Amino acid sequence: MVLETKQAGPIGVFDSGFGGLSILREIRKVLPQYDYLFLGDNARAPYGNRSFDLVYEFTLQAVKHLFSKGCHLVILACNTASAKALRSIQQRDLPVIAPTRRVLGVIRPTVEKVGDITHTGHIGIFGTPGTIQSGSYNIEINKLHPNFKVYGQACPMWVPLVENQESDGPGADYFVQKYINALLEQCDDIDSVILGCTHYPLLMGKIRQYMPQHVTVIPQGEIVAESLADYLRRHPEMECRCRRGGTCHYLTTEDAEKFDSLAGIFVNEQVHAEKITL
Ligand code: DGL
């Protein structure tokens, strides 16, 4: 049982690696007044091809660590973790280990927006193989809009392209076109496509270049940030446990210097991470 405390703490933001920094960046733009603690499980990333059991086990370890550092609220800024671990943690673990703390994901807030955007009701999802295979986006969209049709496309090469700083290279042109074509071959009436992975906003230039003009491409950082702001407005009992100070600290399970140098792809500031073991 995690020790309960009323003392305010930072908002925890978890990702399998670097990608969640793209979500954290947007959250900090909308809610700069809070303290944040980011944890990247870089030593075990990527999660995209891992089994349900492992993603759940790793994510739960990370959440417990963030709780032990004083976080009352943790955002899983990782689609794969949100798809494969969030529900079990919310329903099975939290009531036992920390009944007053909360863990939120990125899929539900993104899905809540899609109804405002689509005209055809045919929605495309780009994600890691794990996110697409989980069917989480389909399930969540169909809960809100049972008549919408959802088409998933796994993009296993996009995360490595971003992490190897090849987002502007010819390999990116090839693989961006490849997965866009594969998605649109499933249905030519798709008018909205969700970027259901933390890394994909970094390929936005190329995705926009090869996506037909009439298709709206939906990155999720801003949506998640607005949704968190709304959550905190509706939950004053949680808001008062989120410490104000405007700081951000970074934890990584891999080498801290490596984290510091690669984090610059995702955030425009110098970061100094601390290495931890989960
Ligand atoms: N953060 C992951 C996601 O959003 C992408 C990287 C990974 O596969 O671990 O799905």
Side-chain angles (χ1 to χ4, degrees), residues 11-31:
I11 297 175
V13 179
F14 168 70
D15 185 43
S16 55
F18 293 108
L21 292 171
S22 70
I23 306 276
L24 175 65
R25 188 185 58 210
E26 298 304 321
I27 292 177
R28 290 184 71 203
K29 274 190 207 158
V30 174
L31 298 166

Side-chain angles (χ1 to χ4, degrees), residues 9-73:
I11 297 175
V13 179
F14 168 70
D15 185 43
S16 55
F18 293 108
L21 292 171
S22 70
I23 306 276
L24 175 65
R25 188 185 58 210
E26 298 304 321
I27 292 177
R28 290 184 71 203
K29 274 190 207 158
V30 174
L31 298 166
Q33 65 271 40
Y34 298 107
D35 288 337
Y36 294 92
L37 183 60
F38 180 87
L39 168 52
D41 190 8
N42 300 79
R44 301 186 293 194
Y47 281 12
N49 288 309
R50 291 195 185 275
S51 67
F52 261 89
D53 286 353
L54 270 185
V55 172
Y56 164 66
E57 187 187 316
F58 292 171
T59 305
L60 182 59
Q61 286 171 356
V63 166
K64 284 181 174 171
H65 188 85
L66 289 166
F67 284 169
S68 77
K69 296 290 169 196
C71 301
H72 292 267
L73 178 63

Side-chain angles (χ1 to χ4, degrees), residues 193-247:
V193 177
I194 294 173
L195 301 187
C197 174
T198 49
H199 288 59
Y200 299 174
L202 281 97
L203 289 165
M204 190 57 149
K206 297 241 183 270
I207 295 171
R208 246 326 358 144
Q209 185 183 338
Y210 294 112
M211 187 70 84
Q213 279 295 316
H214 70 278
V215 177
T216 305
V217 179
I218 311 170
Q220 58 188 174
E222 258 175 66
I223 296 174
V224 170
E226 291 297 345
S227 162
L228 177 58
D230 181 53
Y231 175 86
L232 292 174
R233 272 192 296 272
R234 288 184 291 108
H235 294 274
E237 79 292 351
M238 178 55 79
E239 197 280 335
C240 67
R241 285 186 281 153
C242 297
R243 198 172 65 213
R244 286 165 179 258
T247 68

Side-chain angles (χ1 to χ4, degrees), residues 91-109:
Q91 294 181 357
R92 213 166 56 200
D93 299 299
L94 278 190
V96 179
I97 62 170
T100 65
R101 303 192 190 207
R102 291 292 172 266
V103 180
L104 306 175
V106 289
I107 294 178
R108 180 75 192 199

Side-chain angles (χ1 to χ4, degrees), residues 57-277:
E57 187 187 316
F58 292 171
T59 305
L60 182 59
Q61 286 171 356
V63 166
K64 284 181 174 171
H65 188 85
L66 289 166
F67 284 169
S68 77
K69 296 290 169 196
C71 301
H72 292 267
L73 178 63
V74 173
I75 312 300
L76 300 186
C78 173
N79 284 269
T80 310
S82 297
K84 292 188 162 185
L86 179 63
R87 185 179 295 260
S88 302
I89 291 175
Q90 283 176 332
Q91 294 181 357
R92 213 166 56 200
D93 299 299
L94 278 190
V96 179
I97 62 170
T100 65
R101 303 192 190 207
R102 291 292 172 266
V103 180
L104 306 175
V106 289
I107 294 178
R108 180 75 192 199
T110 310
V111 158
E112 281 171 357
K113 275 277 167 225
V114 86
D116 303 339
I117 296 168
T118 181
H119 298 289
T120 64
H122 293 269
I123 319 293
I125 313 291
F126 287 134
T128 63
T131 297
I132 298 304
Q133 279 156 19
S134 75
S136 296
Y137 272 98
N138 310 49
I139 294 165
E140 291 299 330
I141 289 175
N142 287 140
K143 269 189 208 161
L144 297 177
H145 306 283
N147 52 332
F148 283 8
K149 293 265 181 298
V150 184
Y151 305 88
Q153 178 59 48
C155 310
M157 290 305 292
W158 284 5
V159 167
L161 279 167
V162 171
E163 294 213 344
N164 288 291
Q165 304 186 51
E166 290 288 344
S167 308
D168 295 323
D173 288 280
Y174 176 80
F175 282 108
V176 166
Q177 285 184 80
K178 179 181 164 102
Y179 297 140
I180 288 177
N181 292 343
L183 176 70
L184 298 179
E185 269 166 26
Q186 296 184 51
C187 170
D188 57 15
D189 215 14
I190 291 172
D191 72 347
S192 310
V193 177
I194 294 173
L195 301 187
C197 174
T198 49
H199 288 59
Y200 299 174
L202 281 97
L203 289 165
M204 190 57 149
K206 297 241 183 270
I207 295 171
R208 246 326 358 144
Q209 185 183 338
Y210 294 112
M211 187 70 84
Q213 279 295 316
H214 70 278
V215 177
T216 305
V217 179
I218 311 170
Q220 58 188 174
E222 258 175 66
I223 296 174
V224 170
E226 291 297 345
S227 162
L228 177 58
D230 181 53
Y231 175 86
L232 292 174
R233 272 192 296 272
R234 288 184 291 108
H235 294 274
E237 79 292 351
M238 178 55 79
E239 197 280 335
C240 67
R241 285 186 281 153
C242 297
R243 198 172 65 213
R244 286 165 179 258
T247 68
C248 189
H249 289 102
Y250 300 89
L251 308 174
T252 176
T253 54
E254 242 276 12
D255 181 65
E257 277 176 28
K258 195 165 144 195
F259 184 93
D260 296 350
S261 64
L262 273 168
I265 308 174
F266 297 90
V267 285
N268 297 326
E269 66 177 18
Q270 186 60 48
V271 310
H272 297 288
E274 178 193 338
K275 183 175 190 285
I276 56 143
T277 308

